[in-house]
Amino acid sequence: MPDVLSVRDLRAGYAGTTVLDGVDFHLPAGAVVALLGRNGVGKSTFVHAVMGMLRPSSGSIRVDGRELAGAAAHTVARSGVAIVPQGRRVFAPLTVEENLRIATPGSRRTGRARRTGSSPGAWTPERVYELMPRLAERRTHRGDQLSGGEQQMLAIGRALLRNPRLLLLDEPSDGLAPTVVDLIAEVLEGLRGEGIAAVLVEQDLHLAFRLADEVAVMRKGRIVHRSSTAEFRGDRERAHGLLGVG
Ligand SMILES: Nc1ncnc2c1ncn2[C@@H]1O[C@H](COP(=O)(O)OP(=O)(O)OP(=O)(O)O)[C@@H](O)[C@H]1O
Ligand SMILES: [Mg+2]
């Protein structure tokens, strides 16, 4: 499989501090790779840099072979990348329906829908409701009236409406009860077969192991381990050593 995402020697940080210190990372088309690591190692910084929300100081970010390091977020989005940010960030005063409508490409162009929004197989709010019936039931509820799990579903739905080839999921289980994490897992499993590749940043190892084909571990702004999920699970001691838990 050719790589949908290929990152080489990526460096980025904030006001004089280096967070990403030479990240190498690749993601085969259609694959799910879990990005694990302790709090503060740079996982969110990495997905922000890939999404064009943070300008890297050096290095290469290729999406489908196209160099995007330093490109603006809307350019990265147009290249088929979408993010489900940590903490979800749905628009609180808008309803579920409105949140989904404004995320739909071409929604602001009345009369002439853009091709991307109307091509066969494209995501529509209706398809999002089919994938997540709970959102259909909450259609008229405002963002701030939703439970954490429903907000996470809405954030996922909003990202899907961009018709991504590459989805950046930043801790989708964050702050959710185990039964709700299970619902989110089912939603993400439902996406297998859609050909969407994903970087899954996770602290919940059960969720990561359930969804990911491969595991990458970040430490001090670098990737220090990469293997199949099965191999990583099979060596508990090494996994614990890498993640600094247990
Ligand atoms: N906007 C910012 N300005 C300055 N420093 C930041 C900013 N965002 C993150 N940092 C710092 O960069 C480092 C990496 O943060 P980042 O959010 O990427 O970590 P993370 O691996 O996603 O952590 P977590 O698991 O807690 O979400 C931390 O030391 C953090 O304090
Ligand atoms: Mg984070």
Side-chain angles (χ1 to χ4, degrees):
M1 273 286 176
D3 288 335
V4 62
L5 175 66
S6 173
V7 173
R8 293 260 175 268
D9 201 20
L10 184 67
R11 287 164 206 273
Y14 309 94
T17 60
T18 300
V19 174
L20 303 182
D21 193 18
V23 174
D24 290 313
F25 185 88
H26 68 98
L27 182 63
V32 177
V33 175
L35 179 57
L36 310 177
R38 299 169 79 167
N39 289 118
V41 294
K43 303 178 302 293
S44 293
T45 302
F46 175 72
V47 295
H48 291 162
V50 170
M51 193 66 229
M53 295 157 69
L54 172 73
R55 202 180 170 84
S57 45
S58 66
S60 165
I61 301 169
R62 286 177 181 272
V63 173
D64 285 324
R66 181 177 172 211
E67 182 59 55
L68 287 174
H74 61 89
T75 305
V76 177
R78 252 188 270 122
S79 302
V81 187
I83 187 169
V84 179
Q86 189 166 11
R88 310 182 263 275
R89 308 197 186 197
V90 301
F91 294 112
L94 301 187
T95 65
V96 167
E97 182 88 18
E98 288 163 346
N99 265 280
L100 293 178
R101 293 280 164 212
I102 60 166
T104 306
S107 61
R108 272 156 291 182
R109 304 185 172 198
T110 46
R112 289 179 292 145
R114 264 184 19 207
R115 261 193 186 287
T116 49
S118 53
S119 57
W123 284 90
T124 59
E126 283 62 41
R127 262 191 88 197
V128 168
Y129 290 138
E130 273 168 41
L131 178 70
M132 297 177 278
R134 181 80 77 94
L135 282 184
E137 292 164 20
R138 299 289 187 274
R139 214 180 262 254
T140 59
H141 292 222
R142 285 161 37 140
D144 58 4
Q145 296 170 330
L146 302 176
S147 70
E150 289 161 356
Q151 285 184 21
Q152 191 59 265
M153 290 181 197
L154 182 53
I156 292 168
R158 225 169 40 175
L160 289 173
L161 287 164
R162 303 278 171 192
N163 295 302
R165 286 180 37 67
L166 167 56
L167 197 53
L168 306 169
L169 293 152
D170 196 352
E171 300 207 30
S173 74
D174 201 5
L176 302 181
T179 52
V180 183
V181 173
D182 211 52
L183 279 178
I184 298 295
E186 280 170 25
V187 168
L188 295 175
E189 276 172 344
L191 289 176
R192 299 306 305 243
E194 293 285 342
I196 303 172
V199 178
L200 173 67
V201 175
E202 254 308 330
Q203 301 268 2
D204 180 333
L205 289 186
H206 292 288
L207 181 62
F209 292 166
R210 179 167 165 186
L211 296 171
D213 305 298
E214 290 183 70
V215 167
V217 179
M218 184 178 275
R219 200 179 217 177
K220 294 184 183 162
R222 287 168 174 245
I223 302 296
V224 295
H225 172 86
R226 172 90 176 217
S227 69
S228 72
T229 302
E231 189 189 329
F232 191 80
R233 294 179 79 155
D235 193 343
R236 288 178 71 95
E237 240 168 76
R238 187 158 63 137
H240 284 169
L242 282 163
L243 296 173
V245 293

